[in-house]
């Protein structure tokens, strides 16, 4: 297992990487009390780090970290755990490895500042290297690795021949997962000398047979006159007829040949070989997700309430809602992933400092000012668009003043503390106008109009020592505070909202909801209401059209109902259909992988992952006739034909079971308005995860495609129990490309399952 892969080609000045390959002892820190010395070493391949109890040469019981799983490296100052040990170890000696998905961070302390620097710089270099590799380079790397392995390493005893055992080992090194029986058949076919070993050309034939894509070859043959290459015109035909690329197909064809044709002479002659064709189909250009939806492509100058906003719920919790740990890590993760609305539950804390935790539960506490400092640091690292800080204030008058003080002092210019131009607007400002601003969402004593008047008065009268009017405010947000609001006997503390905090609420003032008529008559565009999941569902059923119209001029937020103490998420689609913006927020910090999270990520992957997605036009009109439960269709109904052709390298579900092979089937699920929500599946292919072929066509009729999300789910058929999850990919209908496309599958926690993919043909008919 522990044999070396050929190393990455690194330039000579990567001293850091070379030193990492020598290995060193470092302290691994899990908590204030758990800190142990471990030996860390970067393997020669530059792609894996292993750590073990001691300096060992062979990795037996060691833990392996793949560079491709690492998202980034942070310095010690940013880790709570390391900060708690600052007296023991200087923070400069510490650093944190942050992983993709929901794997927890790894905190480390090196022996010296220099050593910490070496590891931080070196790791970041490797991570950048891996993330900058695009699909093509990865493919090349596999191929290149393959040939290198053949020459140097696959052939263990260096006799120029490879036994089946050596071939299997080599495939594993090349990350080609392969069913033994299938591989053995190909091995025997390639062994023309019948020596039970492969040599030279035999191995090349074997590798070609192994990676052959029959269905792609046939497609290529259908468009290529000589079966060897696609001429420019042939390729343009393909792009127009099958891929529905339309008028720009000619320009696109040249661009794609330049990007994907491996041979220089092919590039010069403007032709595409089979290798180039496969590379195109497997790349971002051939992906089911339209690459033009990846960057920020939507109009960002519309009022805030015209967008769906990526929102997180119980942001401070890492773990479950009743006894989990509160941590600023929750905020860092949410903000770094483009989440634009975070929640803070603030309570009176000791020595006058407000604290954040989930009230009346056993969750641990963090200082409010630490949360604000985190916000100041991370709010705009991933997206420039505004962050809404949803403040659930349970504090006394005195500590509310501290809250206002911290917000003003720590956030400085980032805090939006007055309307944009000091004037009273008639609608909410746009994400564009609010760039790099943090908006406080909470209660407010006055209206914006009064605020502005007061400001004017202050300016003219200079020292007008007026007392702001104090209205007693009840904590009427009880309906917002899930589990404990069930407790009717609980004393509702009568707290007075402090004017300095109230003044920081500008465009996102929370108000109680009675009915839509009441909102229209009494509320303003900068006021917003929260709805429990159940309440929102009822409103959609009973007065869905009014809800749509309401959301075309005000923001609304839907929060999970209190019964879900396990922090599980709920299906956001229903609320998006009605135009709720801070719709269904998700608890993302916990292990809540699954359908809901997949749909959520699927929607927000578009538009640069910036956290804002423009709603369809019929949800942005205050006179809209759209009813999410009874959609009549002026909304271009469509028929969608999906041919599920084949699968590539689907991983084993249970890797511990040697030789267990999957029986894969594909289920296509549509989420949208109720009549559109449906699913269909293919039959299963027995015992083949390597290159299963289905060739089955599924057909869907959609009333409101603009709201539809598609989820491709691959499962392992099991007649005795529920089929096991293998991988999935979810995307909005509006971001889907037609024609022959690959779908690159994701794991349960949203990380890449590369090289696992599906090959499909998509066709839309009016
Ligand atoms: C290729 O063309 C044949 C004959 O028209 C057709 O039956 C087949 O489905 C085509 N194959 C692909 C992959 O398009
Ligand atoms: C809406 O709510 C207000 C306030 O509770 C109430 O006075 C009014 O009768 C309600 N209107 C409707 C149509 O239910
Ligand atoms: C949206 O936010 C969630 C957490 O709320 C995060 O997991 C996800 O990655 C974000 N999606 C995108 C594409 O920004
Ligand atoms: C099917 O599921 C059962 C129960 O989870 C399990 O014991 C069995 O091994 C599975 N069969 C296969 C072929 O994976």
């Amino acid at each position: 297992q522990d044999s070396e892969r050929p190393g990455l080609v690194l330039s000579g000045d990567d001293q850091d990487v070379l030193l990492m390959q020598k290995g060193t002892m470092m302290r691994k820190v899990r908590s204030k009390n758990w800190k142990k010395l471990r030996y860390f070493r970067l393997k020669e391949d530059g792609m894996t780090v292993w750590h073990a109890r001691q300096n060992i040469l062979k990795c037996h019981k060691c833990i392996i970290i793949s560079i491709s799983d690492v998202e980034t490296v942070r310095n010690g100052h940013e880790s709570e755990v390391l900060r708690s040990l600052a007296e023991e170890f200087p923070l400069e000696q510490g650093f944190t490895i942050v992983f993709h998905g929901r794997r927890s961070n790894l905190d480390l302390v090196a022996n010296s500042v220099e050593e910490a620097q070496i590891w931080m710089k070196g790791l970041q270099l490797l991570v950048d290297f891996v993330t900058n590799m695009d699909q093509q380079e990865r493919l090349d790397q596999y191929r290149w690795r393959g040939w290198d392995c053949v020459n140097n390493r696959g052939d263990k005893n260096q006799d120029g021949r490879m036994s089946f055992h050596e071939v299997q080992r080599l495939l594993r090194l090349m990350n080609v997962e392969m069913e033994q029986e299938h591989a053995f058949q190909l091995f025997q076919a390639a062994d023309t000398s019948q020596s039970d070993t492969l040599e030279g050309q035999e191995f090349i034939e074997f590798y070609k047979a192994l990676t052959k894509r029959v269905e792609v070859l046939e497609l290529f043959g259908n468009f290529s006159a000589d079966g060897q290459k696609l001429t420019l015109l042939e390729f343009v035909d393909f792009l127009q007829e099958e891929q529905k690329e339309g008028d720009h197909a000619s320009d696109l064809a040249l661009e794609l040949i330049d990007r994907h044709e491996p041979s220089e002479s092919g590039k010069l002659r403007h032709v595409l070989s089979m290798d180039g064709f496969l590379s195109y189909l497997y790349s971002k250009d051939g992906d089911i997700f339209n690459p033009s939806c990846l960057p920020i492509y939507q109009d960002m100058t519309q009022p805030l309430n015209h967008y769906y906003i990526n929102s997180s719920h119980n942001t401070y919790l890492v773990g479950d809602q009743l006894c989990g740990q509160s941590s600023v890590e929750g905020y860092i993760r949410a903000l770094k992933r483009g989440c634009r609305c975070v929640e803070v539950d603030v309570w009176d804390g000791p020595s006058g400092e407000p604290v954040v935790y989930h009230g009346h539960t056993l969750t641990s506490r963090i200082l409010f000012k630490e949360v604000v400092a985190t916000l100041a640091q991370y709010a705009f690292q991933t997206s420039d668009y505004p962050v809404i800080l949803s403040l659930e204030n349970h504090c006394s008058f005195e500590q509310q003043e501290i809250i206002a003080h911290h917000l003003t002092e720590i956030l400085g210019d980032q805090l939006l503390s007055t309307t944009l131009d000091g004037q009273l607007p008639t609608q909410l400002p746009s994400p564009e106008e609010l760039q790099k601003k943090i908006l406080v969402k909470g209660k407010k004593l006055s209206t914006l109009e009064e605020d502005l008047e007061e400001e004017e008065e202050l300016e003219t009268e200079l020292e007008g020592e007026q007392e702001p009017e104090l209205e007693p405010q009840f904590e009427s947000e009880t309906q917002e505070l899930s589990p404990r609001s069930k407790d009717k006997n609980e004393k509702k503390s009568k707290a007075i909202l402090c004017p300095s905090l109230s003044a920081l609420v500008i465009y996102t003032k929370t108000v109680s909801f009675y009915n839509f008529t009441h909102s229209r008559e009494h509320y303003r565009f900068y006021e917003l209401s929260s709805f429990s999941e159940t309440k929102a569902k009822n409103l959609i059923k009973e007065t869905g059209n009014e809800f749509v119209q309401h959301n075309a001029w005000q923001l609304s937020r839907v929060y999970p109902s209190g019964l879900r103490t396990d922090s599980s998420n709920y299906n956001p689609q229903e609320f998006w259909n009605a135009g709720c913006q801070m719709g269904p927020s998700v608890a993302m910090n916990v292990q809540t992988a699954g359908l809901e999270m997949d749909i959520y990520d699927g929607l927000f992957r578009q538009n640069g992952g910036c956290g804002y997605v423009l709603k369809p036009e019929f949800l942005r009109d205050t006179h809209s006739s759209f009813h999410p439960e009874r959609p009549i269709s002026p909304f271009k109904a469509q028929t969608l034909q999906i041919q599920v052709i084949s699968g590539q390298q689907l991983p084993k579900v249970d890797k511990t079971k040697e030789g267990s092979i999957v029986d894969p089937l594909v289920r296509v699920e549509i989420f949208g308005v109720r009549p559109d929500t449906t699913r269909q599946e293919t039959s299963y292919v027995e015992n083949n995860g390597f290159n299963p072929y289905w060739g089955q066509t599924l057909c869907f009729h959609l009333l409101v495609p603009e709201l539809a999300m598609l989820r491709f789910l691959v499962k392992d058929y099991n007649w005795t129990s529920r089929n096991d999850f293998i991988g999935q990919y979810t995307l909005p209908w509006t971001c889907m490309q037609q024609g022959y496309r690959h779908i690159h599958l994701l794991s349960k926690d949203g990380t890449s399952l590369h090289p696992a993919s599906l090959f499909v043909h998509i066709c839309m008919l009016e």
Side-chain angles (χ1 to χ4, degrees):
Q1 266 310 76
D2 179 44
S3 40
E4 319 295 350
R5 288 181 188 172
L8 299 171
V9 193
L10 293 165
S11 60
D13 54 13
D14 298 322
Q15 277 306 319
D16 299 331
V17 174
L18 290 177
L19 286 167
M20 286 161 67
Q21 287 175 340
K22 289 211 164 76
T24 184
M25 297 298 280
M26 286 193 277
R27 218 168 282 271
K28 175 175 171 183
V29 183
R30 284 216 189 114
S31 68
K32 211 162 166 12
N33 302 319
W34 197 105
K35 31 193 194 261
K36 303 211 161 135
L37 273 173
R38 291 285 182 265
Y39 179 73
F40 286 79
R41 186 162 83 82
L42 174 70
K43 297 204 335 178
E44 279 75 0
D45 64 0
M47 291 292 282
T48 28
V49 172
W50 49 258
H51 64 98
R53 281 169 195 266
Q54 58 221 330
N55 183 350
I56 44 171
L57 287 174
K58 282 267 171 197
C59 173
H60 289 296
K61 281 190 180 156
C62 68
I63 299 177
I64 292 191
I65 299 168
S66 165
I67 297 290
S68 58
D69 290 332
V70 178
E71 183 177 310
T72 188
V73 188
R74 294 203 211 119
N75 72 43
H77 295 272
E78 299 179 35
S79 154
E80 273 167 278
V81 175
L82 294 177
R83 277 206 309 258
S84 73
L85 291 170
E87 282 173 12
E88 224 171 312
F89 309 108
L91 280 171
E92 289 72 24
Q93 270 172 240
F95 62 98
T96 305
I97 301 181
V98 182
F99 297 95
H100 292 293
R102 273 152 252 168
R103 180 164 165 187
S104 29
N105 296 348
L106 178 60
D107 287 309
L108 297 172
V109 181
N111 289 318
S112 65
V113 178
E114 293 73 37
E115 204 168 83
Q117 287 294 328
I118 288 171
W119 278 79
M120 284 173 63
K121 284 203 314 232
L123 281 171
Q124 195 60 53
L125 182 87
L126 295 170
V127 169
D128 291 345
F129 178 81
V130 170
T131 39
N132 290 337
M133 264 200 303
D134 72 7
Q135 212 68 274
Q136 176 56 33
E137 280 172 289
R138 272 184 218 217
L139 267 182
D140 286 349
Q141 204 204 359
Y142 284 115
R143 283 195 200 130
W144 173 83
R145 235 190 230 169
W147 304 128
D148 195 79
C149 287
V150 178
N151 296 332
N152 303 319
R153 313 185 192 246
D155 176 17
K156 198 133 196 210
N157 47 11
Q158 299 282 326
D159 60 359
R161 299 152 171 269
M162 276 195 287
S163 65
F164 183 61
H165 183 71
E166 284 173 326
V167 166
Q168 272 187 306
R169 212 176 126 262
L170 175 59
L171 292 179
R172 239 177 279 132
L173 289 182
M174 288 160 71
N175 245 348
V176 179
E177 277 222 29
M178 156 106 274
E179 183 228 323
Q180 190 153 333
E181 213 168 302
H182 183 69
F184 190 60
Q185 278 168 13
L186 294 177
F187 180 91
Q188 285 181 315
D191 180 20
T192 45
S193 60
Q194 302 205 329
S195 58
D196 290 336
T197 56
L198 297 183
E199 44 229 83
Q201 192 60 30
E202 285 181 350
F203 182 81
I204 293 175
E205 292 306 322
F206 168 77
Y207 186 77
K208 276 193 180 159
L210 192 69
T211 49
K212 188 156 102 182
R213 294 278 304 273
V214 182
E215 72 286 17
V216 177
L217 262 178
E218 182 189 321
L219 181 61
F220 185 77
N222 278 6
F223 283 84
S224 158
D226 68 358
Q228 300 297 307
K229 59 176 188 302
L230 290 174
T231 64
L232 184 59
L233 281 183
E234 286 168 347
F235 190 38
V236 171
D237 272 355
F238 172 75
L239 293 178
Q240 278 174 338
E241 273 173 42
E242 297 293 351
Q243 309 297 78
K244 307 282 188 254
E245 295 288 1
D247 296 338
H248 72 302
S250 307
D251 295 338
L252 183 65
L254 279 175
E255 223 177 273
L256 292 176
I257 289 176
D258 195 53
R259 214 172 299 156
H260 299 290
E261 173 53 37
S263 90
E264 284 304 322
S265 73
K267 263 188 209 175
L268 281 174
R269 290 183 297 139
H270 292 167
V271 299
L272 197 60
S273 63
M274 176 61 199
D275 276 352
F277 184 63
L278 186 57
S279 154
Y280 152 67
L281 285 176
Y282 198 71
S283 74
K284 278 202 175 72
D285 298 305
D287 198 282
I288 188 166
F289 194 94
N290 192 335
S292 63
C293 292
L294 283 173
I296 294 174
Y297 72 103
Q298 294 180 323
D299 176 9
M300 299 307 284
T301 63
Q302 304 210 17
L304 215 51
N305 59 302
H306 286 186
Y307 299 84
Y308 297 118
I309 306 174
N310 194 349
S311 314
S312 114
H313 169 70
N314 287 345
T315 319
Y316 44 86
L317 279 188
V318 182
D320 82 58
Q321 200 163 313
L322 289 183
C323 8
Q325 205 191 343
S326 303
S327 158
V328 295
E329 184 57 31
Y331 292 91
I332 300 181
R333 287 196 171 207
L335 294 168
K336 287 206 129 190
R337 280 167 205 197
C339 180
R340 298 289 87 185
C341 175
V342 294
E343 195 178 84
V344 192
D345 248 333
V346 210
W347 303 78
D348 277 356
S351 31
E353 277 297 338
V355 290
V356 173
Y357 68 101
H358 203 57
H360 309 295
T361 59
L362 301 174
T363 61
S364 59
R365 294 152 194 230
I366 31 178
L367 288 179
F368 176 74
K369 64 178 176 190
E370 285 198 23
V371 172
V372 182
T374 306
L375 208 57
Q377 189 179 355
Y378 289 95
F380 305 108
Q381 284 194 357
T382 306
S383 165
D384 280 346
Y385 294 115
V387 170
I388 297 169
L389 177 64
S390 179
L391 205 59
E392 309 272 343
N393 169 12
H394 313 274
C395 291
S396 62
F397 194 91
E398 293 71 33
Q399 296 216 358
Q400 290 180 37
E401 287 194 313
I402 309 280
I403 293 179
H405 174 80
H406 286 325
L407 286 170
T408 322
E409 288 301 307
I410 301 175
L411 297 180
D413 284 348
Q414 293 182 323
L415 184 70
L416 185 89
S417 50
T418 167
T419 55
L420 279 177
D421 51 3
Q423 304 291 316
L424 187 72
T426 52
Q427 58 178 21
L428 286 169
S430 67
E432 180 90 18
E433 291 171 297
L434 290 170
Q435 279 188 64
K436 302 233 168 162
K437 289 293 176 199
I438 295 171
L439 279 56
V440 177
K441 168 175 146 331
K443 292 211 197 66
K444 186 174 177 66
L445 293 170
S446 52
T447 62
L448 266 189
E449 290 81 347
E450 287 162 355
D451 272 13
L452 290 168
E453 259 166 41
E454 199 172 300
E455 245 165 62
E456 249 168 53
E457 264 172 50
L458 278 179
E459 272 165 27
T460 45
E461 287 176 26
L462 291 163
E463 267 119 55
E465 219 161 274
Q466 323 112 305
E467 275 285 305
E469 244 178 78
L470 285 192
E471 271 177 52
Q473 293 270 319
F474 291 90
E475 270 299 318
S476 67
E477 282 215 351
T478 39
Q479 86 241 46
E480 275 204 45
L481 306 171
S482 343
R484 60 191 164 280
S485 65
K486 295 277 153 199
D487 188 355
K488 294 270 192 246
N489 302 327
E490 189 186 303
K491 271 185 286 163
K492 286 171 194 155
S493 64
K494 202 180 195 181
I496 295 176
L497 183 59
C498 124
S500 55
L501 183 55
S502 158
L504 300 180
V505 174
I506 311 294
Y507 294 119
T508 39
K509 169 180 174 183
T510 51
V511 289
S512 305
F513 176 81
Y514 301 100
N515 52 52
F516 293 119
T517 317
H518 175 268
S519 293
R520 239 184 350 260
E521 285 169 0
H522 296 91
Y523 291 150
R524 295 158 225 247
F525 65 88
Y526 56 81
E527 294 173 319
L528 70 105
S529 309
S530 291
F531 304 87
S532 76
E533 192 182 343
T534 328
K535 173 82 182 162
K537 274 187 191 180
N538 289 335
L539 286 172
I540 292 171
K541 234 177 245 143
E542 286 154 19
T543 47
N545 176 243
E546 278 190 83
F547 209 168
V548 165
Q549 297 184 346
H550 174 85
N551 289 328
W553 70 278
Q554 265 202 351
L555 286 163
S556 13
R557 166 173 172 264
V558 180
Y559 58 91
S561 83
L563 297 171
R564 295 170 187 267
T565 44
D566 59 349
S567 299
S568 66
N569 290 312
Y570 53 103
N571 192 338
Q573 186 69 48
E574 217 177 319
F575 310 102
W576 288 339
N577 291 344
C580 299
Q581 301 83 353
M582 287 182 273
S585 44
V586 286
M588 62 162 303
N589 308 308
V590 273
Q591 308 285 338
T592 47
L595 171 68
E596 295 79 12
M597 199 69 200
D598 295 342
I599 294 181
Y600 213 76
D601 279 353
L603 181 78
F604 286 106
R605 189 172 294 122
Q606 62 180 314
N607 215 23
C610 78
Y612 287 84
V613 167
L614 193 63
K615 300 195 281 184
E617 209 189 327
F618 53 83
L619 295 181
R620 289 185 262 136
D621 173 5
T622 47
H623 302 294
S624 175
S625 61
F626 183 73
H627 192 306
E629 293 283 295
R630 288 185 290 281
I632 28 169
S633 323
F635 310 106
K636 356 170 186 94
Q638 292 251 5
T639 297
L640 177 64
Q641 264 177 16
I642 301 176
Q643 191 194 4
V644 179
I645 305 171
S646 60
Q648 292 76 39
Q649 308 203 38
L650 307 177
K652 277 183 277 192
V653 187
D654 186 355
K655 295 209 196 266
T656 56
K657 262 190 273 171
E658 188 65 37
S660 80
I661 300 182
V662 295
D663 302 330
L665 64 90
V666 179
R667 181 197 283 173
V668 179
E669 301 174 328
I670 311 255
F671 299 93
V673 293
R674 200 175 296 276
D676 289 352
T677 301
T678 178
R679 64 196 197 194
Q680 290 180 39
E681 60 189 41
T682 66
S683 42
Y684 67 93
V685 172
E686 216 168 313
N687 258 355
N688 186 354
F690 184 71
N691 58 0
Y693 181 86
W694 295 279
Q696 275 174 274
T697 301
L698 311 175
C699 198
F700 300 91
H701 300 284
L702 299 184
L703 289 179
V704 192
E706 292 93 328
L707 286 172
M709 300 285 297
L710 276 79
R711 183 167 185 253
F712 293 84
L713 177 63
V714 186
K715 302 194 118 194
D716 184 7
Y717 174 79
N718 184 335
W719 62 274
T720 57
S721 66
R722 283 180 53 207
N723 300 339
D724 288 320
F725 174 96
I726 296 178
Q728 69 84 32
Y729 188 77
T730 306
L731 80 166
W733 176 88
T734 46
C735 294
M736 186 174 57
Q737 302 206 90
Q738 299 193 64
Y740 288 95
R741 302 290 171 183
H742 276 96
I743 298 171
H744 296 273
L745 295 173
L746 302 175
S747 72
K748 244 183 191 146
D749 66 5
T751 54
S752 164
L753 279 179
H754 182 82
S757 58
L758 292 179
F759 187 52
V760 298
H761 181 262
I762 307 278
C763 181
M764 286 183 235
L765 312 165
E766 294 278 329

